[in-house]
Amino acid sequence: MTFSILGPARVAVAGVPVPIDSPALRAVLAALLISREHQLRFDGFERVLWDRPPPSSESNIRSYVARLRARFRTAGPDLEARLTSARGRGGYLLRVADGEFDLAVFTELTRRAQARLRQGRLDDAADLLHRAVGLWHGPAGSDVNVSGALMRLLEDLDEQRVVAVEDLLDVRLALGESGSLLQQLRTMVLENPTRERPRAQLIRALYLAGDPSGALLAYQQARADFDELLGIGLPERIERLQHAVLRRDEGWIRQTPAVATTGRVSPAGAQVVGA
């Protein structure tokens, strides 16, 4: 069985997707997956599914879970048995084994990548991050009817993806791939004009690809955009990078910045939804 949230919310048995045609049921599935290994109570469901829970919220939740269980039943009793309820506690739990859930695999791959970076094993880190980023198939929960805390949890997951991509780009720059990354970095800057790391990475890549004047132009554009969009100056790291470009200090520019700690939605996410 496979369970997915890094893109559309999906369950598949032996590679065959289980039909879950209702956005509300996909929202319930997403909430259960994000809170995996933790009991999700009715109050947690309410915070996840609605900004303002309706008076019928508890009966709605029972109906949604029953309908989701019925969808699971069509794929076989093994899947149906994964979705359990706790008598007297008003909660539900979706049991997912190791390696079955794409978010858990993503989290483990990024954790291992950061360990390899601390050991200076850049090739291994690049491979792990490439595999982690490859698990994504669009925004987290892209086919889910989003509101309440679920929207914020899914946005947190999307932030994890962006950070992992940035981590991978830093490692690839350190491995000497600057020229092949320029188009991707320009796209990253266009899509995330106020993020610091893609700006710094583009400046680094242009310099390392043999275009110091282009690197200075990218710095000037970053300064103008940050002033216009945020009303603030550039972060210190980009200012220091510009000084390094002016000094032609390739050794400093080539250094791999400390890789950001990719956020996790595990126990913290479960607490948010009331596990």
Side-chain angles (χ1 to χ4, degrees):
M1 298 181 194
T2 56
F3 300 82
S4 306
I5 194 66
L6 305 183
R10 293 284 187 270
V11 180
V13 178
V16 179
V18 177
I20 304 175
D21 52 2
S22 163
L25 297 192
R26 292 194 291 268
V28 170
L29 172 63
L32 288 165
L33 286 171
I34 290 176
S35 63
R36 73 188 188 96
E37 301 177 358
H38 295 266
Q39 195 86 18
L40 191 55
R41 298 189 297 268
F42 283 119
D43 58 347
F45 265 120
E46 288 175 343
R47 287 196 296 273
V48 168
L49 298 178
W50 297 285
D51 290 311
R52 295 182 178 179
S56 60
S57 61
E58 185 170 328
S59 62
N60 287 352
I61 292 165
R62 292 183 188 277
S63 174
Y64 292 152
V65 172
R67 289 165 57 194
L68 184 61
R69 186 176 279 132
R71 301 296 193 280
F72 285 4
R73 190 179 305 125
T74 65
D78 290 343
L79 178 57
E80 182 186 6
R82 298 289 192 96
L83 181 52
T84 62
S85 58
R87 297 184 181 278
R89 295 182 59 191
Y92 297 96
L93 176 67
L94 180 58
R95 300 186 184 281
V96 179
D98 290 344
E100 292 182 336
F101 183 29
D102 60 357
L103 173 57
V105 176
F106 171 82
T107 301
E108 176 61 15
L109 287 170
T110 55
R111 183 196 66 78
R112 289 168 54 196
Q114 291 169 20
R116 299 300 185 274
L117 284 171
R118 289 191 291 272
Q119 298 163 0
R121 297 165 58 181
L122 298 186
D123 286 309
D124 290 345
D127 177 64
L128 291 164
L129 287 167
H130 180 76
R131 289 162 56 191
V133 171
L135 293 171
W136 287 78
H137 303 284
S142 58
D143 60 348
V144 170
N145 187 16
V146 176
S147 61
L150 184 58
M151 175 166 40
R152 293 181 289 278
L153 292 169
L154 294 174
E155 288 172 350
D156 286 345
L157 294 185
D158 288 331
E159 172 67 12
Q160 291 184 50
R161 180 190 64 81
V162 175
V163 170
V165 170
E166 292 172 346
D167 288 349
L168 178 58
L169 289 168
D170 266 340
V171 176
R172 292 181 64 190
L173 282 171
L175 289 170
E177 301 180 34
S178 52
S180 64
L181 297 178
L182 288 174
Q183 186 55 52
Q184 182 179 359
L185 285 168
R186 289 189 176 102
T187 300
M188 286 278 290
V189 166
L190 287 173
E191 293 176 349
N192 306 276
T194 59
R195 287 188 76 90
E196 173 185 350
R197 289 181 75 191
R199 295 284 188 172
Q201 289 167 336
L202 179 58
I203 294 169
R204 292 175 65 212
L206 285 164
Y207 183 89
L208 295 173
D211 186 6
S213 60
L216 290 173
L217 285 173
Y219 161 80
Q220 292 166 4
Q221 185 63 58
R223 184 173 61 181
D225 288 345
F226 270 57
D227 180 62
E228 178 183 353
L229 298 173
L230 299 176
I232 61 174
L234 287 171
E236 180 182 358
R237 177 167 65 174
I238 298 182
E239 294 290 2
R240 292 175 63 194
L241 183 56
Q242 185 247 5
H243 293 317
V245 171
L246 291 172
R247 296 193 311 268
R248 301 296 196 264
D249 188 349
E250 182 168 331
W252 194 93
I253 295 168
R254 193 175 290 280
Q255 291 179 28
T256 307
V259 173
T261 301
T262 305
R264 306 282 192 267
V265 175
S266 49
Q271 290 163 10
V272 169
V273 298

